[in-house]
Amino acid sequence: MNILFDLVIALLIIIGIMLLVPLVFFIYLYIKDDRQKQHSILRNFPVLGKVRYFTEKIGPELRQYLYNNDNEGKPFSRKEFQDVVKSGKYKDRLVGFGSLRDFGDEGFYIRNTLFPKLRTELKVDNEPKIRTRIYVEEGDNLFSRKERSEERLINPVFLTDDNAVILGEHTCRHPFKLKGLIGQSGMSYGALGENAITALSKGLAMAGGTWMNTGEGGLSQYHLAGKTDIIFQIGPGLFGVRNLNGEFSWEAFKKKSEMEQIKAFELKLAQGAKTRGGHVEGEKVTEEIAKIRLVEPGKTINSPNRFKEFDSPASLIHFVEELRNVSGKPIGIKIVVGDLDALEELVAYMKESGEGPDFITVDGGEGGTGATFQELADTVGLPIQSALPIVDEMLKEYGIRDRVKLIASGRLITPDKIAIALAMGADLVNIARGFMISVGCIMAQVCHTNNCPVGVATTNKKLQDGLIVDEKQYRVCNYLVSLREGLFNLAAAAGIDSPTKFERKHIVHKDKLGRVFPLDEILHAAKRTQHQEH
C-alpha cells in the first residue's frame, strides 16, 4: 500500500513539474516580449506574436513541401528539383500518366519530325564505358523506404569526333576539344565547401567530355581532385592571378596556364544574378581560402564590379589577345546582356580588328549566386531566352559567328531546356545549381549565411560532414550522363543525328491563345522594334 501511495505521489510531482515548467517559461516569455521595444506585435500580443514569427520562419519549408504544387516553387519548382535528384540518384527520367506542364501557358516547344532518327542512326560515341553506382528501390512505403546502391557500367553518351566542339581551334596553340555539350558553371571554393567541390570534380571526371569552371575564387586543390578539365575564371578581384597588392600578375597567370588540367580561361565581366563584383562573408574566408585568393583571412570580400585593366572594347580585346599569346589556350568572356548598344560596339570592334575571345558565356539574369543584392538579382540583365538569340544574331550580322563559340547559362537544368538553348544559338551549356542539387542541395536559400544545412554552400566543417564525397560523386556523374542521353532523345525526335545540329527551325513559341510562332519570326519582330526605338 505504501509503495502504491509513493508511486501516486511521484506521479503527481512529475505531472506538476510538467505543468509548472511550461507555465514558468510562458510567463518568462510574456514578460520579456511585453517589455522589449523592437517588435510592436510582440509587445501588444506576446503569445500570438510568437506564433506569427514561428510560422513566418518555417514558411519557406511549408510552401516547398506542403502548399506549393509541383510546378510553383521558385527559383526551381518541386518537379524540376525532383528531375535532377532522380537523374543523379537513379539515372532515371521516366514519368508516368502524363506531363505536369501547364499546356495553357505560353512557352517554347521542340518541333518533332514525322520520321525521327533511329538509335542506330544517331552519331554517338559510347566508349569507354563508365563505372558508376545507381540506387535501386526495393520498397517505398509511407514510413519506410528501402533501396540499395549497386555498381553499373553505363554508356558515356559522348559526341563523335566529327561533332566535337573545339574552343580556340584556329587561334590557340592548345585548343580545347569537348565531346560533351554540358559543363559546370563557375562555383568558387569558399562559396561552396571542399566536400562539394571535390564531389563535383570527381563526378565530372568520371563522366568525362566536360569541364569544371572554378568560379572567380581561384583554383583550389579540391577543383583538381578528380583530374577533370578546368576552365579557370578570372573575375575583377583577380583571385589566384594577382600579387599581394591586388594587381594582375602575369607571372601568376603564366604558372596557371602551364597546368595541364587548365584548358581555358574566362574573364568574368558580369554574372546573371549579380552584375557586380563577388561577395563572400568574412566567416567563410578561412586561412586556406585567403591563401588561394591572396586576401586577408576572416575579412569579408567585396571585389570590384569591373576590371581595372580595361574599360572599352578595344582595351578588353587587347587584354584577351595578351592572355591568349601568353597561355596559348582559349580565352573567353562572361557577360550579361543589357545595353545592346554597348554589346554591338564590342561586336563591331571584334569584326574590325579581326580579334576577340574564343568563346562568350552568356549568363541569363535568372542565374544563381551564393550572395547578391535583391535589386540586382530581380531586375538587372535579360533572361537567357532573350539574351542568347540577341548575341547569336548580332554575331551573325557582323559575319563573325564562326569565330566564337557561345556558352549559355541560366536555369538550364533539364535536357529540354538545354535543347532549346542550343536551338537558340548556344554551342555549349553551363549548369551550376543543377549540379549543386546533384550533391545534395535542398534549396534552403541560405547560401550567403555559411549555414547550408546539407553541407554544400558552407565551409563549416560540422555541416560538411553530412556530404559524403564517395557517394555524391556518382550522382554528379549520373546527372550529367542522363542530361546527355536526354539531348540525344530530343535530337532523334527532331530528326537530327546529334544535338549539335539543333537550330532555330527546331523550336517554336506558343502563346496563351494557342498561336504558334517560329523563333525567327519573333526575333525579326523584336529587331524591328529596336530599329523603331532608335
Side-chain angles (χ1 to χ4, degrees):
M1 193 69 178
N2 289 336
I3 295 175
L4 180 61
F5 179 77
D6 290 343
L7 288 174
V8 171
I9 295 299
L11 183 61
L12 290 174
I13 292 173
I14 291 172
I15 293 173
I17 292 173
M18 290 175 65
L19 294 174
L20 184 61
V21 170
L23 180 62
V24 171
F25 184 65
F26 173 83
I27 293 171
Y28 166 75
L29 288 179
Y30 188 96
I31 295 172
K32 177 177 178 290
D33 289 336
D34 183 59
R35 290 182 176 179
Q36 60 81 37
K37 299 178 181 179
Q38 289 181 312
H39 306 287
S40 300
I41 193 170
L42 288 179
R43 190 169 174 85
N44 291 335
F45 305 98
V47 179
L48 292 177
K50 275 282 188 240
V51 174
R52 185 254 189 196
Y53 283 114
F54 174 76
T55 307
E56 183 181 55
K57 180 68 176 176
I58 65 172
E61 288 79 10
L62 290 175
R63 288 189 291 274
Q64 182 177 358
Y65 296 110
L66 296 177
Y67 301 135
N68 280 344
N69 70 39
D70 287 343
N71 288 321
E72 281 182 340
K74 301 292 182 183
F76 297 103
S77 68
R78 183 187 294 121
K79 178 188 178 300
E80 291 171 316
F81 175 81
Q82 290 176 341
D83 286 341
V84 175
V85 172
K86 283 175 60 179
S87 295
K89 193 173 182 181
Y90 308 104
K91 202 175 152 297
D92 178 23
R93 298 182 313 284
L94 293 175
V95 299
F97 197 69
S99 172
L100 295 178
R101 179 175 183 173
D102 187 343
F103 290 94
D105 284 348
E106 61 182 7
F108 287 98
Y109 290 82
I110 295 170
R111 298 175 63 179
N112 63 295
T113 180
L114 288 175
F115 304 102
K117 293 290 184 182
L118 299 172
R119 289 186 180 276
T120 54
E121 296 177 302
L122 295 176
K123 289 190 173 182
V124 58
D125 182 356
N126 279 322
E127 296 296 337
K129 306 298 182 190
I130 298 172
R131 191 176 299 276
T132 185
R133 299 195 70 86
I134 294 173
Y135 278 87
V136 178
E137 285 188 18
E138 295 181 329
D140 189 7
N141 302 313
L142 185 60
F143 296 108
S144 67
R145 182 184 187 89
K146 289 185 178 180
E147 53 188 11
R148 70 179 188 279
S149 171
E150 62 179 39
E151 192 175 273
R152 293 270 185 89
L153 278 179
I154 62 173
N155 292 325
V157 200
F158 290 136
L159 301 170
T160 53
D161 286 330
D162 57 324
N163 283 322
V165 178
I166 304 176
L167 302 181
E169 182 175 12
H170 303 296
T171 58
C172 300
R173 299 191 298 277
H174 308 289
F176 183 21
K177 180 179 180 180
L178 287 157
K179 296 193 69 173
L181 299 176
I182 307 158
Q184 183 214 286
S185 191
M187 290 195 283
S188 302
Y189 171 54
L192 268 60
E194 57 260 37
N195 284 11
I197 294 289
T198 302
L200 287 165
S201 177
K202 290 186 174 183
L204 292 168
M206 199 181 304
T210 186
W211 66 93
M212 183 182 207
N213 192 305
T214 62
E216 63 182 304
L219 182 68
S220 70
Q221 60 177 307
Y222 311 109
H223 288 103
L224 298 168
K227 296 183 170 55
T228 190
D229 290 336
I230 298 285
I231 294 181
F232 187 104
Q233 187 181 89
I234 303 172
L238 306 175
F239 302 126
V241 289
R242 69 184 208 162
N243 57 31
L244 292 176
N245 295 324
E247 299 169 342
F248 185 80
S249 167
W250 286 103
E251 182 182 357
F253 173 75
K254 191 172 187 302
K255 285 182 180 178
K256 291 292 190 301
S257 70
E258 291 170 350
M259 297 179 67
E260 176 63 25
Q261 270 186 254
I262 296 179
K263 303 297 184 181
F265 293 88
E266 178 184 77
L267 293 172
K268 192 185 97 168
L269 275 62
Q271 181 179 336
K274 55 179 182 185
T275 48
R276 59 183 286 269
H279 173 86
V280 180
E281 291 294 334
E283 61 183 1
K284 280 190 171 186
V285 186
T286 62
E287 293 280 353
E288 183 182 25
I289 290 171
K291 185 178 180 180
I292 292 169
R293 298 190 179 198
L294 294 178
V295 296
E296 293 182 42
K299 187 175 180 181
T300 296
I301 302 172
N302 281 301
S303 52
N305 62 353
R306 75 165 179 82
F307 287 83
K308 298 175 182 176
E309 287 70 23
F310 48 81
D311 59 2
S312 66
S315 55
L316 164 61
I317 298 304
H318 178 69
F319 193 64
V320 165
E321 293 294 321
E322 281 191 287
L323 293 175
R324 187 190 292 115
N325 289 336
V326 170
S327 68
K329 295 182 177 181
I331 309 295
I333 60 174
K334 181 175 183 176
I335 65 171
V336 177
V337 176
D339 185 343
L340 301 189
D341 291 332
L343 177 64
E344 187 164 11
E345 187 181 349
L346 172 62
V347 174
Y349 186 82
M350 290 168 59
K351 167 69 174 178
E352 176 189 344
S353 65
E355 301 174 337
D358 297 295
F359 63 95
I360 298 176
T361 300
V362 182
D363 198 17
E366 69 272 56
T369 180
T372 190
F373 297 113
Q374 169 272 322
E375 60 271 20
L376 294 176
D378 287 351
T379 312
V380 179
L382 293 176
I384 192 62
Q385 289 183 345
S386 298
L388 180 58
I390 288 173
V391 179
D392 179 57
E393 184 71 10
M394 196 174 289
L395 291 170
K396 287 177 178 176
E397 286 181 353
Y398 278 84
I400 58 173
R401 180 63 180 87
D402 60 327
R403 284 170 31 191
V404 58
K405 302 298 183 186
L406 291 182
I407 306 177
S409 61
R411 298 191 190 178
L412 306 175
I413 65 170
T414 52
D416 52 323
K417 290 181 172 62
I418 295 171
I420 290 170
L422 294 173
M424 286 182 166
D427 297 291
L428 301 165
V429 166
N430 267 337
I431 299 176
R433 285 172 292 182
F435 282 118
M436 286 177 66
I437 293 170
S438 75
V439 292
C441 168
I442 60 171
M443 302 192 300
Q445 299 184 45
V446 292
C447 306
H448 59 294
T449 67
N450 204 35
N451 294 317
C452 174
V454 290
V456 178
T458 180
T459 54
N460 183 306
K461 297 289 186 182
K462 183 177 180 181
L463 291 172
Q464 287 195 78
D465 283 344
L467 199 163
I468 307 302
V469 172
D470 290 340
E471 198 273 336
K472 300 296 186 184
Q473 62 181 344
Y474 296 110
R475 300 198 190 190
V476 175
C477 172
N478 296 338
Y479 171 54
L480 177 55
V481 173
S482 184
L483 289 175
R484 297 198 292 230
E485 286 179 347
L487 278 181
F488 270 96
N489 285 345
L490 292 169
I496 51 180
D497 57 20
S498 171
T500 58
K501 297 178 182 178
F502 274 113
E503 300 178 41
R504 292 179 186 175
K505 65 182 181 182
H506 292 118
I507 58 172
V508 294
H509 185 271
K510 182 195 76 68
D511 69 13
K512 290 185 177 181
L513 298 177
R515 295 174 299 189
V516 176
F517 301 92
L519 182 58
D520 271 330
E521 186 175 324
I522 296 172
L523 290 176
H524 292 152
K527 194 182 300 182
R528 286 195 299 271
T529 302
Q530 291 169 19
H531 287 318
Q532 289 169 2
E533 289 176 351
H534 281 290

